[in-house]
């Protein structure tokens, strides 16, 4: 029996993975996995419990007992409920991204989240967004994209996004944080940020989101791109 199709979209922070993945999943009528939100949620849950984020074993145990749910509430990003609390806003802060990047470097933490991620592969298909979707979690995915953009453009996008959410941050410090996160995510020993050998590379610098979405959709065969009738 053919396996349920997966489109993986990996790339660095601010490359547009989340926005593009959600739009593509909606167009196809497929499920969506925001794997970064899982790492963010575990980082937050560990901080709530006062766990030292450098303690790989303690964070991995925390990952195994943390309950993470995604709730669709109208348009826009799904809300993320961590151990019963709506943590959506907190999880989007750059501090949560940095904590996620730190705990994500621990192999036992990554191992604790593998089954959960595989369970998102449900019919009719899955769009999976992250760093290692095409390389480690869904290496057999038939469709893979690696999305990038210059660090300057990614920092500007994040700056605008946070400003729209009422969070004021300095552009220079964002650029620094993004560069530090890129370096840690790409430099770690386990599941580093890198394109799968069979991924299509897309640089979105200066390209409007609508066009990026079309380019990603063009990676899929025509028959999958038809809107579903049911
Ligand atoms: N091609 C693009 N051009 C301009 N802005 C973009 C583009 N892609 C994404 N954005 C904006 O950049 C911000 C970060 O995008 P997001 O999808 O959260 O990135 P990622 O998930 O890769 O971190 C969002 O506000 C989004 O609207
Ligand atoms: N599949 C994944 C997804 C995220 N991570 C880690 C590394 C990232 O810096 C953090 C946060 O990821 P997230 O995709 O939410 O961050 P951005 O939206 O790209 O800024 O989690 C990971 O190691 N593996």
């Amino acid at each position: 029996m053919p396996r349920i199709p997966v489109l993986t979209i990996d790339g660095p922070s601010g490359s547009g993975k989340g926005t593009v993945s959600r739009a593509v999943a909606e167009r196809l009528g497929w499920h969506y996995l925001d794997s970064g939100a899982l790492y963010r949620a575990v980082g937050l849950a560990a901080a709530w419990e006062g766990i030292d984020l450098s303690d790989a074993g303690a964070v991995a145990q925390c990952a195994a007992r943390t309950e993470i749910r995604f709730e669709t509430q109208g348009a826009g990003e799904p809300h993320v409920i961590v151990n019963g609390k709506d943590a959506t806003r907190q999880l989007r802060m750059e501090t949560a991204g940095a904590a996620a990047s730190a705990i994500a470097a621990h192999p036992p933490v990554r191992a604790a989240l593998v089954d959960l991620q595989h369970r998102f592969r449900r019919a009719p298909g899955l769009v999976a967004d992250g760093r290692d979707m095409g390389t480690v979690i869904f290496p057999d995915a038939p469709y893979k994209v690696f999305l990038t953009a210059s660090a300057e453009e990614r920092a500007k996008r994040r700056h605008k996004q946070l400003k729209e959410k009422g969070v004021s941050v300095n552009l220079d410090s964002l650029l620094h944080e993004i560069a530090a996160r890129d370096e840690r995510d790409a430099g770690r020993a386990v599941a580093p940020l890198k394109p799968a050998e069979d991924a299509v590379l897309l640089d979105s610098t200066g390209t409007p989101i609508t066009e990026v979405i079309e380019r990603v959709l063009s990676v899929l065969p025509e028959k999958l791109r038809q809107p579903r009738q049911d």
Side-chain angles (χ1 to χ4, degrees), residues 3-230:
R3 293 210 70 186
I4 293 164
V6 181
L7 165 65
T8 61
I9 305 188
D10 290 305
S13 179
S15 55
K17 303 179 300 294
T19 312
V20 171
S21 300
R22 279 195 303 277
V24 168
E26 176 132 338
R27 283 268 283 274
L28 299 170
W30 286 12
H31 298 280
Y32 167 54
L33 166 61
D34 176 0
S35 62
L38 303 180
Y39 289 95
R40 286 171 185 260
V42 170
L44 185 65
W48 282 341
E49 291 185 31
I51 294 169
D52 173 1
L53 298 189
S54 66
D55 184 340
V59 180
Q61 281 174 11
C62 175
R65 64 176 172 264
T66 300
E67 200 213 49
I68 308 162
R69 271 188 300 120
F70 293 93
E71 262 181 23
T72 311
Q73 300 186 356
E77 290 181 41
H79 283 227
V80 191
I81 317 295
V82 183
N83 290 335
K85 280 187 226 152
D86 189 335
T88 315
R89 192 178 156 84
Q90 224 174 328
L91 290 180
R92 265 297 123 208
M93 304 292 179
E94 196 44 43
T95 44
S101 169
I103 61 130
H106 303 316
V109 174
R110 304 198 73 83
L113 294 175
V114 171
D115 286 350
L116 174 60
Q117 294 176 86
H118 285 163
R119 287 203 294 274
F120 279 79
R121 188 173 195 166
R122 295 195 305 270
L126 174 69
V127 181
D129 142 13
R131 301 291 186 291
D132 62 340
M133 299 295 98
T135 49
V136 176
I137 302 297
F138 301 109
D140 67 330
Y143 316 111
K144 300 182 185 180
V145 169
F146 192 84
L147 196 58
T148 55
S150 71
E152 289 72 21
E153 175 147 338
R154 291 187 283 118
K156 278 191 201 148
R157 288 177 187 174
R158 189 65 85 212
H159 187 248
K160 184 162 174 264
Q161 185 182 35
L162 289 170
K163 224 166 122 186
E164 281 163 6
K165 289 186 176 170
V167 183
S168 91
V169 276
N170 174 280
L171 181 60
D172 275 349
S173 63
L174 255 185
L175 183 56
H176 266 93
E177 278 159 4
I178 279 188
R181 198 133 69 85
D182 284 357
E183 206 176 299
R184 177 160 43 197
D185 294 345
R188 69 182 175 222
V190 60
L193 168 68
K194 66 162 189 212
E197 274 174 19
D198 48 350
V200 173
L201 305 187
L202 269 178
D203 187 335
S204 71
T205 313
T207 310
I209 302 179
T210 47
E211 200 178 317
V212 180
I213 293 167
E214 293 310 317
R215 285 202 201 163
V216 169
L217 280 165
S218 74
V219 168
L220 300 163
E222 181 72 38
K223 65 177 192 324
L224 288 179
R225 281 184 262 149
Q226 303 305 322
R228 287 173 3 116
Q229 300 304 311
D230 51 52

